[in-house]
Amino acid sequence: MQFIVTAYDGKDSEAGARRSSVREQHLAGAKKLVKERKWLFAAALLDDEGKMMGSVMIVDFPSKDALLSEWLDNDPYVAGNVWEEIDIRPCKVPDFILDASLL
């Protein structure tokens, strides 16, 4: 089952420092999930000044519970208090998009 996960960083003055301090750990986990074909797409959300303010991911897990237990509950951005608000919505990526991403 596929999901769109939209996560917004905290807005306090230390939010950027928290993101920076765990970014490499977060990216290492993301690379593993891409190889496992659980992360299909991801991008940083930017504010009007071009600074990171959150993330959006399209992921593929058997269920929302699996999404939480296998990834999100343990992500460094969650553990490091980077993401303040997280929205998870089911979605369906067309097969031809998935096939094209393998090229």
Side-chain angles (χ1 to χ4, degrees), residues 46-53:
L46 306 178
D47 66 15
D48 291 339
E49 287 84 44
K51 293 183 351 189
M52 289 185 204
M53 58 169 274

Side-chain angles (χ1 to χ4, degrees), residues 11-64:
K11 296 181 178 130
D12 59 281
S13 61
E14 299 300 314
R18 284 195 307 276
R19 177 181 268 272
S20 295
S21 72
V22 295
R23 188 166 192 265
E24 291 307 314
Q25 295 167 347
H26 166 76
L27 293 176
K31 288 175 186 177
K32 178 182 177 284
L33 291 170
V34 167
K35 287 180 183 176
E36 295 173 359
R37 302 285 298 152
K38 291 181 179 175
W39 265 34
L40 306 178
F41 186 83
L45 297 173
L46 306 178
D47 66 15
D48 291 339
E49 287 84 44
K51 293 183 351 189
M52 289 185 204
M53 58 169 274
S55 308
V56 64
M57 289 86 29
I58 298 178
V59 300
D60 194 348
F61 286 89
S63 65
K64 186 175 178 180

Side-chain angles (χ1 to χ4, degrees), residues 15 18-19 21-22 75-83:
R18 284 195 307 276
R19 177 181 268 272
S21 72
V22 295
D75 189 277
Y77 279 0
V78 172
N81 214 20
V82 174
W83 289 333

